[in-house]
Amino acid sequence: MLTRSSEVIVIGGGVNGLAAATRLAREGARVTLLETAAQTGGAMAARGAAGDMPLAHLTPGLDPRVAKGMALETRGLRFHAPLRDTALDLGGDHRTVAGGLASGADAAAWATLHQRLMRFASVLAPFRAMAPPRLKGGGNDWGALMRHGLGLRAIGAREFRELLRMVLINAADVAEDELNDPLLQGLMAHDATQGAWLGPRSPNSLILYLNRLAMGAQMRLPVGGMGSVAKAMTEAATAAGVTIRLGARVAQIETLEGRVTGVVLDDGARLLADHVVSAISPKATFLDLIGPRGLETGLLRATRDIRARGATARLTLRLNAAPNFRGADLQSRMVIAPSVNAVEEAWNPVKYGEVPKRPVMEIVIPTATEPELAPDGGHVLSALVQCAPHDPAKPKAAKTAMLKATMRVLEDYAPGLGEMVSATHFLMPWEIEAEYGLSNWHHAELSVEQMLFNRPNHATAQYATPIAGLWLGSAGSHPGGGITGAAGWNAAGAIIRGKAV
Amino acid sequence: MTGLKRATQLLTTPFHARTSAANLQGRWGPWAGYRAALCFGDVDMEYTAIRNAASVYDLCPMVKYRFTGPDAEAYLDHLTVRNVAKLKPGSVHYTLWCDDEGKVLDDGTLLRHGPQEFLLSCQERHLPWMLDAATGYDVTIADVTTEIAALSLQGPTSAAVLRLAGWDVSDLRPFRMLKVDFGGAELTISRTGFTGDLGYELWTSADHALPLWDHLMAAGALHGIRPIGTDALNLARLDAGFLIANVDFIPADQALRHDRARSPFEIGLDWLIDWTKGHFNGRRALVAERAAGSEWAMVGLDIEGNVSAEGSILYLGKKKEVGYITSAAWSPSAKRSIALAQIRRPYHESADIWVEIYAQRELQYAKLMLKADQTARPFYEPARRRTTPPQAF
Amino acid sequence: MIYDAVIIGAGHNGLVAGSYLARAGMTVCVVEKNDWVGGAAVSRELHPGFTYSNCSYVSSLFRPEIMRDLELPRHGLQILPFEGGAVLTEDGDYLGMHRDHDANRREFARHSLRDSEAYDRYARDVQRHCRFIRPMLMRTPPDPARFRPRDVAELAWLARKMFELPEAQIAEMIRFWTMSISDYLDQYFENPVIKAYLAVSAIIGTALGPMSPGSAYVLLHHYMGDVDGNVGAWGFARGGMGAVTKALTASLQAAGGEVRMGSGVDRVLVSNGRATGVVLDNGDEIRGRRVISNMDVKRTFLKHVEEKELPGEFVDRVKKFKIRGSSGKLNIALDSAPVFPALPEGSTHIRGDLHFTDSIARMERAYDDWKSGTFSRDPFQDVMIPTMIDPTMTPPGKHFMSCFVQYAPPKIHGGEWTDADRDAFGKTCLDQLEAYSPGFKDRVLHVEVRTPRELEAEVGLTEGNIFQGELTFDQLLFNRPVPGYAQYRSPVKDLWICGSSTHPGGGVMGAPGRNAAAEILREAGQIKGMRDAYPVL
């Protein structure tokens, strides 16, 4: 049980670590947050590796519970208006999408589909805000489960049937069944598979799109950049009494008789704690910090079996002028994914550790919205590029090929762009892992078999772990990542309820 | 079938040239992919050799793993429930290992050859589990089943046979071992066995199998030595109350039906667990089970009458089904009808347990409902089993 | 006369449904467009003296309860378990299968000692999933959106079955159903050849690759059958797969049912919203109190029922039902037994399924070709020589070989298959055989190459899909074929569906036909003579 004198250590100062630490501190626990880097924020913090850009360049908006609970608005966190999406066309005939509104001949079909999927997303969303249910046994919030379960059925028999049909369908079928415009189909295929380890024709891909819609149909840019979120959250944590230690790398989580006793830092310092919340990768938590000797073999296997392959590469270009994507709105979220097949074909090679010929990508130019972010008057182009091989045989060559392919695609869509580049920062998945500890964008692949009571695996799905006092609270736990803080907030809730396994 | 690059038939053990010559009835059975003698001639005579003279049993099909390396001890402490740190070089202990849920994967004998070298002999194969469990340990695991020729020499005259073979085992206490030279190869003699009698197990390299056999047979010629098959051994092991995987319990990783797996408490082997040694596989679940109680109990039964209760169901007060027999026989040594049985707790403490036996006699079944009393195990334990130096017969 | 039931299509499910109905006392007429019965379970003499199982080629899924109910053994059906099987590897080695557990372990150990033992846990785990799913095959799926007592009771039954398992096992089962077979196998095995062999059942007949999520379920679909209680085992029907439908036809006729061959159905007669019979291509009208279609759901409703008789939403859903043909087939008459030099002489491997795809990546690349609209350049072939076991199909010493091929798309780059495409496809497959069996082509007496085009034209399987529709969750259980219509009924009163487009899906299983018959008889109030699935002990 969490008591007023409980010593809590939170490992990892990313969005989930900050959310968990703050919530626990507000309950009266004495919380120390340990962050390896020189600043908090994790994927939200601007770091040199990504060209002084954060790894994550957008947020769907923080989980409302987190935003409210940490009073982020009163701490000055503001967002620009929700971004429109632009599905880029090679010929300049772009489509703009803002939620259910799409340009082009397919507008009506898009609106109908969007409405239906939003309906599904809205009844699934409440499950994001609670601990995954236990299939048997106690600890469930039965009231909430009943309520949310009935919510699924309350959409009517017809829609409920459609939900059951579509919940594990592939995104490509839905896009092709319900839409005709290849650009809109491509946009949907891209958004469904971004950050995941599958293609749009892979079954179970639509639910990732629904999850995205459940977080927010439109992405957002914080005023001042993603770092503003980190800053506001860090202030909130400090105000709640969290002690933040930067540059503190945990070497070992210590246990005695199956119970956590504290952590040892890599400088040898030993910190005692009643509870340790790991807001870093679940795999690293068990395999590196607890270590295999502290794990039972079944749990070791289950941990090893957590799949965490990342297929996203991170590109930052410093530009000395505004690029021209054939007239596209530079303040929008631009997506290069001209068709379902374009996304599928970008996915195919990475299965074998190869580089796609034509990667697909999401592009944001934060300086177009907020010129102050580039004091030198230039622009920053920030892109998440899919699909990059996770573990190629020749990493160096793969990186070169991937960057080359990416630049070729960019040049096709924005002729002359190459000339404007003054600096290039490009991170392949393994470099992102080395720098940020994210082997997959969500620590553990977001996929149906790693959702809910199987996220990151069955033994650790309710934030509690078989090791008493050790809790998981990163994007690797339910409901996954996306700069919302939901996983960390939920984890803190689980600790507060004290319903440890 | 000839010309096959790889044989598909049963393998033979390094002793096969001798065992096949000795097997008068050709009664063989498959054992872990090997051809194993069920009986060489007469089960009663072979059983009598175990209890009266000296018996030789081919142990080669037992699965053997060798663990070496600086972390071998720590690793085995993690893997198994018993305290390996307490097992001194030159010693052997009986142990078992569990999965995360505290269910038994298998049991076996662990021989410590040196500070960093162990040999585990068990019934089932576990390489993937053992390799996975070795993550983070500096230990090398090798399946040495085919490299080692192992022979069990059991019976009251076994020590004398060894002495005549040139090896003085008079100081060798139970669960200790001795290394001797045999034709240039190392021969390990451990005072262990599966019969509950005075006896030894001999371990050497496969290419020394036949000379070892011949040497023992010659040495024991005047001491009633004879090869025995699995049938006789099975009788003797039941006398001793020993369990066999897949007979008396289902290894947890093989159980298709989840409710078939058993914890050490449930098969009466919780006494092996060292609760103080720190973390080991299954500990968390076993601690919980110790507090909450178990579902099953393994008991020894003394059943009235003289009809074997093999494969029978147990009843409370002749009515309520509460368990089943896993092994049973008429024990020629104990002169009792004995059985190992699983009983659902708390009925294992009841004095009102009955066994329903369908005994087939000339095609027809006699249905019996016989009283089964709990009794201590071993069902039969001669003093010579533990006496050091061994008695002269 | 007016029949109690007119059944469209003498495939195995149509015949199963017809036999049950006839046995319950109904008058039954099965109409078949071909001059022979069997649909995709046929034995045909396409080369003099050679019997071909030229569509389906092995049996495991066919429910033993149905064989018994319909007295198929009495009508001549014999199932022969087969042995052996092997993957021949590119480097000239092989991984062979043995029925004996220890022999099989030793062969696996030749490739990986660890995997040889990991196989036991793998087999145990897959067996557990089979045990769960087998009882569901012979039950009508509930409609989770309705609150009728039967639906509620059936849902409760499903929930109860699930909650009999420990929590971790339920979670693991849900994981298994949704995973790719590649990821699943990675949890157990390290050796690529062993993984490639075990992944086979996850891609047979489906437009999924071994790396597609959901492919592990397809594997289960192929493992949940049995040969005489040996779950997961496969066998041949003696005399070819046509022996199954031949016995079914005999059973049907013995119960008074009729089969009318040689003219297909032009349309289903509907009046006042009720099906009243069919009109054949030759103009004949056959009246019936109910019409039961063994055709796939697209063919039934988009080609043979007037659209005005159907709700628009239903038609839309049927149009979007995913059939996705993905397989082709070569049926080969051989002058002598082929020799695969990699296999030990005299070994039994050739008496089972032979494959040449020695890694999951090669399978997946074959699937990538399908996705891009072509047949696989390096196809996966499931090669069987039933005449190694069955002496009835060819003259002694001669052989019939069935090569099932993944992947072949329903259209080539969006266009129709041409004869030249078909020949190129056939050549690709034959070249692969020749590479592993030098001199193979010289033994060939006759080859029938079947692309999805041929499968559709002859058997009537839309897009040539052997399951009458993909086995993905959006089309399984209560979603199959269309949510709200998973109980063998259609929007038209008295028009029923009983093919593999319905639960529990494809393969020569008979369960859809049996379940449809059960629903019909239940509605008619005369259900009898139909046994429930054997309990799983």
Side-chain angles (χ1 to χ4, degrees):
Chain A
M1 283 290 279
L2 192 75
T3 63
R4 292 219 146 255
S5 61
S6 290
E7 288 284 355
V8 178
I9 287 171
V10 176
I11 304 173
V15 62
N16 286 307
L18 288 165
T22 309
R23 189 172 179 186
L24 291 170
R26 287 188 11 187
E27 286 293 318
R30 286 184 291 177
V31 181
T32 305
L33 184 146
L34 305 175
E35 166 60 45
T36 305
Q39 75 277 56
T40 51
M44 304 180 292
R47 292 204 218 174
D52 290 329
M53 278 288 291
L55 186 66
H57 60 193
L58 291 171
T59 166
L62 288 153
D63 186 301
R65 297 169 303 156
V66 176
K68 187 156 171 271
M70 297 178 79
L72 298 180
E73 207 174 325
T74 59
R75 298 185 199 282
L77 179 62
R78 295 285 181 278
F79 289 92
H80 294 289
L83 278 94
R84 287 180 304 280
D85 299 332
T86 306
L88 293 179
D89 177 56
L90 209 46
D93 184 16
H94 310 305
R95 302 287 181 278
T96 19
V97 175
L101 299 174
S103 68
D106 235 5
W110 177 270
T112 306
L113 176 61
H114 182 79
Q115 204 177 13
R116 167 169 276 172
L117 297 182
M118 280 306 284
R119 193 177 305 127
F120 294 165
S122 70
V123 294
L124 294 174
F127 290 98
R128 290 176 48 86
M130 61 186 295
R134 293 290 303 259
L135 294 172
K136 289 171 99 167
N140 286 333
D141 182 349
W142 290 108
L145 267 179
M146 284 287 267
R147 215 162 47 244
H148 303 335
L150 288 175
L152 297 177
R153 186 58 184 82
I155 56 178
R158 189 163 145 250
E159 289 300 297
F160 181 58
R161 281 199 188 107
E162 272 301 273
L163 174 61
L164 288 180
R165 184 181 72 86
M166 289 171 76
V167 70
L168 295 183
I169 205 170
N170 72 69
D173 277 352
V174 175
E176 290 172 347
D177 282 349
E178 313 300 335
L179 304 170
N180 292 306
D181 185 340
L183 285 174
L184 294 180
Q185 290 172 337
L187 176 67
M188 189 175 155
H190 171 273
D191 288 356
T193 56
Q194 191 185 35
W197 186 263
L198 41 65
R201 296 202 186 280
S202 302
N204 312 343
S205 48
L206 186 81
I207 197 168
L208 306 184
Y209 192 76
L210 295 178
N211 181 56
R212 192 183 171 102
L213 293 181
M215 291 191 280
Q218 285 172 274
M219 298 300 278
R220 294 178 153 240
L221 264 178
V223 174
M226 289 297 286
S228 306
V229 182
K231 187 165 157 279
M233 290 184 84
T234 306
E235 277 175 29
T238 310
V242 176
T243 307
I244 296 176
R245 291 182 57 173
L246 299 172
R249 181 182 291 277
V250 176
Q252 181 83 38
I253 297 172
E254 296 202 300
T255 61
L256 183 70
E257 297 269 303
R259 190 177 172 97
V260 155
T261 55
V263 304
V264 181
L265 302 183
D266 64 353
D267 61 11
R270 174 169 276 122
L271 308 178
L272 299 180
D274 305 307
H275 296 273
V276 172
V277 185
S278 172
I280 65 164
S281 143
K283 277 184 113 150
T285 303
F286 286 106
L287 299 181
D288 302 338
L289 301 189
I290 293 288
R293 291 181 178 216
L295 299 178
E296 290 170 295
T297 303
L299 182 60
L300 172 81
R301 278 180 171 170
T303 306
R304 200 187 52 195
D305 289 342
I306 296 171
R307 281 177 315 288
R309 293 157 296 191
T312 306
R314 179 74 176 85
L315 176 71
T316 307
L317 297 177
R318 295 261 156 204
L319 306 175
N320 49 31
N324 181 2
F325 282 86
R326 300 185 198 266
D329 174 7
L330 298 183
Q331 294 185 2
S332 67
R333 182 179 79 103
M334 296 180 285
V335 172
I336 300 179
S339 66
V340 169
N341 281 350
V343 182
E344 190 71 21
E345 281 158 22
W347 154 247
N348 280 342
V350 304
K351 296 181 290 191
Y352 320 110
E354 295 165 7
V355 170
K357 288 194 184 71
R358 308 268 310 166
V360 295
M361 63 193 83
E362 167 188 278
I363 301 163
V364 182
I365 302 179
T367 46
T369 303
E370 206 174 329
E372 306 77 51
L373 291 174
D376 55 357
H379 279 281
V380 174
L381 180 150
S382 169
L384 303 186
V385 187
Q386 312 256 113
C387 300
H390 177 76
D391 192 13
K394 294 178 180 162
K396 226 172 156 181
K399 181 176 180 176
T400 309
M402 187 76 196
L403 179 59
K404 213 168 148 188
T406 304
M407 292 309 294
R408 197 164 50 229
V409 170
L410 279 170
E411 185 71 26
D412 288 348
Y413 279 84
L417 181 100
E419 303 284 300
M420 302 173 181
V421 176
S422 59
T424 303
H425 295 270
F426 190 58
L427 295 175
M428 290 293 270
W430 60 91
E431 296 172 305
I432 293 173
E433 181 173 5
E435 180 72 24
Y436 298 90
L438 283 159
S439 99
N440 171 277
W441 213 245
H442 301 270
H443 285 302
E445 285 164 40
L446 200 56
S447 58
V448 171
E449 66 267 29
Q450 293 190 154
M451 274 186 184
L452 285 169
F453 43 80
N454 278 327
R455 184 162 190 84
N457 55 29
H458 176 66
T460 60
Q462 280 79 22
Y463 310 102
T465 71
I467 296 164
L470 175 65
W471 305 78
L472 299 182
S474 77
S477 290
H478 175 75
I483 312 294
T484 68
W489 199 259
N490 287 356
I495 300 167
I496 291 162
R497 278 196 309 279
K499 293 193 170 143
V501 178
Chain B
M1 217 177 280
T2 54
L4 273 178
K5 267 201 243 165
R6 271 117 204 157
T8 60
Q9 61 268 62
L10 290 172
L11 298 179
T12 55
T13 78
F15 295 109
H16 188 69
R18 298 296 179 270
T19 51
S20 58
N23 197 329
L24 303 176
Q25 301 199 328
R27 288 199 51 219
W28 302 92
W31 175 15
Y34 285 88
R35 189 139 58 129
L38 298 174
C39 175
F40 284 86
D42 185 296
V43 177
D44 295 344
M45 292 300 116
E46 290 171 22
Y47 173 82
T48 303
I50 300 171
R51 296 282 178 240
N52 173 56
S55 65
V56 171
Y57 183 72
D58 180 357
L59 281 178
C60 294
M62 290 294 284
V63 181
K64 295 168 227 51
Y65 296 105
R66 177 182 290 138
F67 308 93
T68 47
D71 288 344
E73 179 186 295
Y75 163 73
L76 287 163
D77 254 335
H78 178 96
L79 183 80
T80 65
V81 300
R82 217 165 167 179
N83 193 328
V84 181
K86 289 184 183 165
L87 181 68
K88 300 291 172 238
S91 301
V92 184
H93 72 201
Y94 172 64
T95 186
L96 62 79
W97 54 104
C98 293
D99 65 9
D100 289 24
E101 283 72 46
K103 303 298 184 189
V104 177
L105 289 166
D106 205 352
D107 60 350
T109 45
L110 184 67
L111 289 71
R112 186 166 198 166
H113 283 290
Q116 298 189 8
E117 188 188 344
F118 296 83
L119 185 81
L120 179 66
S121 171
C122 53
Q123 183 74 30
E124 301 292 322
R125 297 182 169 272
H126 301 278
L127 192 64
W129 179 260
M130 288 180 172
L131 289 173
D132 288 346
T135 313
Y137 290 93
D138 186 356
V139 60
T140 305
I141 302 167
D143 179 340
V144 293
T145 306
T146 56
E147 293 170 24
I148 293 178
L151 211 51
S152 179
L153 174 70
Q154 305 277 310
T157 65
S158 54
V161 172
L162 287 175
R163 190 167 52 248
L164 287 167
W167 305 308
D168 181 6
V169 291
S170 51
D171 294 335
L172 193 62
R173 284 178 288 121
F175 293 105
R176 301 285 300 171
M177 53 193 192
L178 177 75
K179 288 187 189 202
V180 298
D181 177 83
F182 176 66
E186 187 178 87
L187 171 71
T188 300
I189 301 171
S190 58
R191 187 165 168 190
T192 50
F194 207 51
T195 60
D197 215 303
L198 174 66
Y200 303 85
E201 286 168 328
L202 284 69
W203 318 74
T204 190
S205 63
D207 52 348
H208 286 74
L210 297 180
L212 177 64
W213 179 281
D214 295 340
H215 188 62
L216 281 179
M217 286 300 172
L222 300 179
H223 287 81
I225 197 166
R226 68 186 292 157
I228 62 158
T230 305
D231 292 348
L233 180 74
N234 198 30
L235 264 178
R237 74 91 193 174
L238 186 56
D239 281 345
F242 292 136
L243 309 184
I244 300 182
N246 270 318
V247 173
D248 300 296
F249 66 93
I250 304 293
D253 57 350
Q254 295 180 23
L256 192 54
R257 296 154 188 84
H258 61 85
D259 60 354
R260 299 302 200 265
R262 295 287 183 267
S263 76
F265 293 102
E266 293 174 320
I267 58 172
L269 293 175
D270 48 303
W271 61 274
L272 293 172
I273 302 170
D274 186 311
W275 300 99
T276 61
K277 70 172 180 173
H279 177 73
F280 61 87
N281 271 338
R283 185 179 194 276
R284 212 179 314 274
L286 292 169
V287 167
E289 185 174 333
R290 186 172 55 169
S294 311
E295 204 176 334
W296 292 92
M298 178 70 81
V299 298
L301 295 179
D302 180 341
I303 299 165
E304 67 173 311
N306 63 352
V307 180
S308 169
E310 228 175 332
S312 299
I313 293 177
L314 297 176
Y315 295 86
L316 177 75
K318 304 190 188 182
K319 278 209 180 74
K320 184 185 165 71
E321 197 183 312
V322 292
Y324 55 94
I325 302 281
T326 62
S327 296
W330 169 260
S331 166
S333 298
K335 303 296 179 208
R336 290 189 287 167
S337 176
I338 58 172
L340 290 170
Q342 285 271 282
I343 302 187
R344 233 176 251 285
R345 289 170 196 252
Y347 307 112
H348 67 298
E349 286 170 345
S350 166
D352 192 17
I353 299 295
W354 297 76
V355 54
E356 184 184 44
I357 299 174
Y358 288 77
Q360 198 193 40
R361 297 292 182 271
E362 293 179 315
L363 304 186
Q364 293 187 21
Y365 283 94
K367 183 179 159 182
L368 310 169
M369 187 63 93
L370 302 177
K371 187 81 182 14
D373 292 323
Q374 283 208 45
T375 183
R377 287 176 290 153
F379 298 100
Y380 172 72
E381 190 179 30
R384 60 182 176 256
R385 176 187 186 184
R386 296 185 191 282
T387 310
T388 310
Q391 303 156 336
F393 322 134
Chain C
M1 85 173 261
I2 301 179
Y3 291 97
D4 290 323
V6 177
I7 295 175
I8 308 172
H12 61 277
N13 280 313
L15 292 169
V16 165
S19 296
Y20 273 110
L21 298 181
R23 276 161 187 271
M26 287 189 173
T27 52
V28 175
C29 178
V30 180
V31 296
E32 167 58 46
K33 78 182 168 80
N34 288 324
D35 292 325
W36 59 89
V37 297
V42 290
S43 302
R44 303 197 55 216
E45 184 173 325
L46 300 179
H47 185 73
F50 286 72
T51 303
Y52 286 39
S53 288
N54 74 330
C55 291
S56 62
Y57 53 102
V58 276
S59 169
S60 165
L61 301 174
F62 201 71
R63 309 313 306 154
E65 297 88 341
I66 298 175
M67 295 191 211
R68 186 164 173 178
D69 281 346
L70 303 181
E71 301 177 280
L72 300 187
R74 187 160 77 80
H75 294 292
L77 181 64
Q78 274 183 265
I79 303 289
L80 317 171
F82 61 70
E83 58 183 333
V87 193
L88 308 190
T89 57
E90 261 183 325
D91 62 5
D93 196 0
Y94 73 100
L95 168 75
M97 300 299 132
H98 297 272
R99 286 175 69 90
D100 176 71
H101 176 263
D102 286 299
N104 203 58
R105 178 175 54 69
R106 287 201 297 272
E107 170 61 4
F108 270 46
R110 210 163 58 75
H111 296 265
S112 161
L113 184 61
R114 183 198 160 98
D115 287 2
S116 72
E117 297 186 19
Y119 180 72
D120 289 341
R121 187 169 68 99
Y122 166 80
R124 192 273 309 252
D125 289 352
V126 173
Q127 244 345 292
R128 282 183 163 178
H129 301 310
C130 288
R131 291 169 59 81
F132 180 79
I133 209 153
R134 279 162 62 89
M136 289 178 197
L137 302 177
M138 300 221 309
R139 299 178 80 97
T140 297
D143 184 344
R146 299 181 79 157
F147 299 106
R148 289 175 309 190
R150 254 190 85 200
D151 291 314
V152 173
E154 190 64 16
L155 274 174
W157 179 85
L158 273 173
R160 204 167 52 240
K161 270 219 39 106
M162 188 171 273
F163 285 100
E164 281 168 6
L165 300 174
E167 180 172 312
Q169 212 174 310
I170 305 172
E172 174 55 23
M173 194 161 65
I174 289 168
R175 243 173 114 248
F176 175 79
W177 287 341
T178 51
M179 280 178 92
S180 79
I181 193 64
S182 173
D183 285 346
Y184 189 70
L185 292 170
D186 278 346
Q187 302 181 139
Y188 296 86
F189 303 106
E190 59 186 13
N191 181 274
V193 184
I194 288 173
K195 285 193 262 190
Y197 182 81
L198 296 174
V200 163
S201 291
I203 64 163
I204 297 268
T206 182
L208 296 175
M211 295 182 183
S212 302
S215 50
Y217 173 77
V218 180
L219 173 116
L220 190 61
H221 191 87
H222 286 102
Y223 275 23
M224 64 198 181
D226 67 303
V227 175
D228 299 318
N230 192 355
V231 176
W234 284 77
F236 299 121
R238 191 170 194 266
M241 285 302 282
V244 174
T245 45
K246 204 171 141 196
L248 281 168
T249 305
S251 172
L252 169 75
Q253 287 167 338
E258 296 169 38
V259 181
R260 230 194 249 205
M261 292 177 283
S263 185
V265 165
D266 174 59
R267 65 182 195 280
V268 176
L269 289 168
V270 180
S271 80
N272 299 324
R274 302 178 81 104
T276 57
V278 297
V279 181
L280 301 185
D281 288 329
N282 64 12
D284 288 0
E285 235 181 77
I286 302 176
R287 315 289 297 188
R289 292 185 183 86
R290 49 185 76 73
V291 175
I292 303 145
S293 174
N294 183 192
M295 297 183 292
D296 69 63
V297 68
K298 270 185 151 51
R299 190 160 292 260
T300 302
F301 294 105
L302 303 180
K303 293 196 171 156
H304 300 290
V305 178
E306 286 186 69
E307 192 167 337
K308 69 174 168 57
E309 304 294 348
L310 301 167
E313 211 172 322
F314 177 80
V315 174
D316 182 54
R317 266 282 53 88
V318 171
K319 282 182 178 161
K320 289 169 182 169
F321 183 72
K322 304 303 176 209
I323 294 257
R324 287 202 261 262
S326 61
S327 326
K329 192 146 190 269
L330 267 63
N331 296 300
I332 307 172
L334 293 168
D335 196 33
S336 54
V339 173
F340 295 92
L343 297 179
E345 208 183 318
S347 73
T348 56
H349 304 304
I350 201 169
R351 294 158 73 85
D353 49 340
L354 300 176
H355 314 136
F356 314 117
T357 308
D358 58 4
S359 73
I360 282 185
R362 275 177 74 191
M363 275 180 201
E364 183 72 16
R365 284 183 198 270
Y367 172 57
D368 288 348
D369 287 341
W370 179 91
K371 281 195 289 184
S372 64
T374 63
F375 61 80
S376 306
R377 288 159 293 181
D378 175 22
F380 162 80
Q381 298 199 63
D382 188 27
V383 175
M384 297 287 227
I385 312 172
T387 45
M388 289 285 169
I389 287 174
D390 180 353
T392 68
M393 296 173 77
T394 57
K398 317 281 182 196
H399 289 281
F400 162 69
M401 179 190 265
S402 157
C403 305
F404 180 85
V405 190
Q406 293 287 122
Y407 298 78
K411 288 190 186 320
I412 293 279
H413 294 305
E416 297 301 330
W417 280 80
T418 63
D419 289 354
D421 292 329
R422 181 198 59 204
D423 294 345
F425 170 68
K427 183 176 180 306
T428 303
C429 298
L430 284 171
D431 286 349
Q432 194 183 54
L433 284 161
E434 179 75 28
Y436 290 89
S437 178
F440 179 84
K441 286 181 181 177
D442 298 335
R443 303 177 197 270
V444 174
L445 298 172
H446 169 256
V447 186
E448 182 199 23
V449 181
R450 316 190 84 188
T451 72
R453 176 183 69 161
E454 282 77 24
L455 288 167
E456 172 157 9
E458 184 187 295
V459 187
L461 292 168
T462 299
E463 293 191 18
N465 178 298
I466 67 167
F467 296 138
Q468 287 198 349
E470 279 291 283
L471 298 175
T472 47
F473 183 76
D474 52 307
Q475 303 192 150
L476 285 175
L477 205 64
F478 41 71
N479 288 328
R480 191 170 185 90
V482 169
Y485 296 96
Q487 299 178 335
Y488 310 95
R489 291 163 178 82
S490 80
V492 177
K493 180 98 182 94
D494 294 333
L495 174 58
W496 300 74
I497 38 180
C498 73
S500 295
S501 285
T502 60
H503 171 79
V508 183
M509 182 157 25
R514 180 255 176 220
N515 294 353
E519 284 299 312
I520 291 164
L521 291 174
R522 192 173 285 124
E523 194 170 280
Q526 49 191 112
I527 188 153
K528 61 173 184 180
M530 190 171 273
R531 84 187 71 226
D532 286 335
Y534 293 137
V536 174
L537 274 184

